[in-house]
Amino acid sequence: MKKILLAASAAMLAASAVAQTDPVSRAIDATVQAGKASAASQERVNQSDDQTRAMLERYRAATWQAQQLRVYANQIEPLLAAQEAEKQGLQRQLADLDRAGGDMMPLMLRMLDSLEKFIALDLPFLQDERKERIANLRRMMTDSSTATAEKFRRVLEAYQIEADYGRGLGAERGQVEERMVDILRVGRSTMFAVALDGADAWGWNAGTGKWEPIPRKYVKELRLAMKMARETAAPDLLTLPMPVAAAGAVK
């Protein structure tokens, strides 16, 4: 009987001890859980701070770019206005030129006639190219789809090309006395020719309209001049037998 009472007392004491330790365990568990929740909350705060900083940086970059674009727009606005005014002025001029097309056509045809006669009387260089240019312009004159302004521009361009021929050297391949030669044009003053083998050289006589032999001592200078004309040699002084103005003959 005493043993039973002692066992019951021990059980009661153990239950009392367990009852006393349960609140502590619960408190510890609650503290641990609170710590975990606090850490998770801090992590969310940190992530939010990182996102906020990133968004702030993007905002600052966008604000700076917007400021730069406004500055650029303020700078380019006067230029755009000037270009627009120039464009409108050109459009008015083209419209006026188109309205005057009936008066311009006879003028352009006379200009082509004059240019064609000039080429026929000029030194005989680039004959095919120059004649083809005139032929193309005459065909364009009959093309109703081409504006009068464009036709007039092309005629003026042809005049400019002819004028440029007189300002430098020119070289081309041709024939003299049925022999293949390199031909040198010196502005519009005269022309020379050198046989491909360098054995013979000629000068153009504008008075007779024929090629005439010149001394072979000029072959070296003529070859250098042709390289200069083709831009394969640097410009240099040349000694060439230029024609006498009065007689038109090469001396």
Side-chain angles (χ1 to χ4, degrees):
M1 186 64 176
K2 290 181 179 180
K3 291 181 179 180
I4 294 172
L5 291 174
L6 290 173
S9 298
M12 291 177 64
L13 289 173
S16 177
V18 170
Q20 291 176 357
T21 58
D22 282 346
V24 175
S25 298
R26 288 195 296 270
I28 293 174
D29 291 341
T31 301
V32 171
Q33 294 299 325
K36 291 181 179 180
S38 177
S41 178
Q42 185 62 45
E43 180 64 23
R44 289 193 295 271
V45 170
N46 292 340
Q47 291 178 356
S48 178
D49 288 343
D50 291 341
Q51 293 174 355
T52 301
R53 283 193 293 270
M55 292 176 65
L56 180 60
E57 290 298 326
R58 289 197 294 269
Y59 171 76
R60 289 173 176 171
T63 301
W64 181 86
Q65 187 176 16
Q67 291 174 347
Q68 296 301 310
L69 289 174
R70 281 195 294 271
V71 171
Y72 177 73
N74 291 336
Q75 291 176 342
I76 202 172
E77 185 175 353
L79 177 60
L80 292 175
Q83 289 180 340
E84 180 62 24
E86 182 179 1
K87 175 183 175 182
Q88 292 178 359
L90 291 173
Q91 287 176 340
R92 286 193 297 270
Q93 293 178 26
L94 290 174
D96 292 341
L97 190 57
D98 283 336
R99 285 193 294 270
D103 297 331
M104 291 295 297
M105 185 59 67
L107 172 63
M108 290 187 288
L109 292 176
R110 289 196 299 271
M111 292 174 69
L112 288 179
D113 290 341
S114 298
L115 191 58
E116 191 170 28
K117 291 177 182 178
F118 175 78
I119 292 173
L121 296 173
D122 196 19
L123 296 175
F125 64 90
L126 299 176
Q127 289 289 287
D128 293 340
E129 176 181 323
R130 297 163 78 190
K131 290 178 181 178
E132 181 64 21
R133 185 179 298 115
I134 296 296
N136 289 337
L137 288 172
R138 290 196 182 281
R139 284 192 293 269
M140 188 174 62
M141 292 299 115
T142 63
D143 184 4
S144 60
S145 64
T146 304
T148 302
E150 176 63 13
K151 294 176 181 179
F152 189 63
R153 186 192 70 79
R154 293 285 298 276
V155 172
L156 292 180
E157 183 181 62
Y159 268 79
Q160 184 61 54
I161 292 173
E162 288 294 329
D164 291 342
Y165 286 144
R167 297 194 178 102
L169 301 175
E172 61 179 302
R173 185 65 57 85
Q175 284 189 336
V176 172
E177 297 179 358
E178 298 183 353
R179 296 173 63 182
M180 292 300 298
V181 297
D182 283 324
I183 298 175
L184 173 72
R185 171 180 53 82
V186 183
R188 277 199 162 83
S189 300
T190 191
M191 297 191 305
F192 300 97
V194 178
L196 298 185
D197 60 5
D200 298 290
W202 299 263
W204 179 257
N205 189 323
T208 62
K210 295 180 180 180
W211 291 99
E212 296 181 351
I214 60 174
R216 288 188 58 198
K217 65 180 181 179
Y218 293 111
V219 168
K220 183 178 179 180
E221 288 287 299
L222 290 172
R223 288 193 181 280
L224 174 59
M226 289 177 188
K227 290 181 180 180
M228 292 167 56
R230 295 184 173 114
E231 298 182 351
T232 58
D236 200 354
L237 294 176
L238 298 169
T239 301
L240 298 174
M242 298 303 291
V244 178
V250 176
K251 300 294 185 182

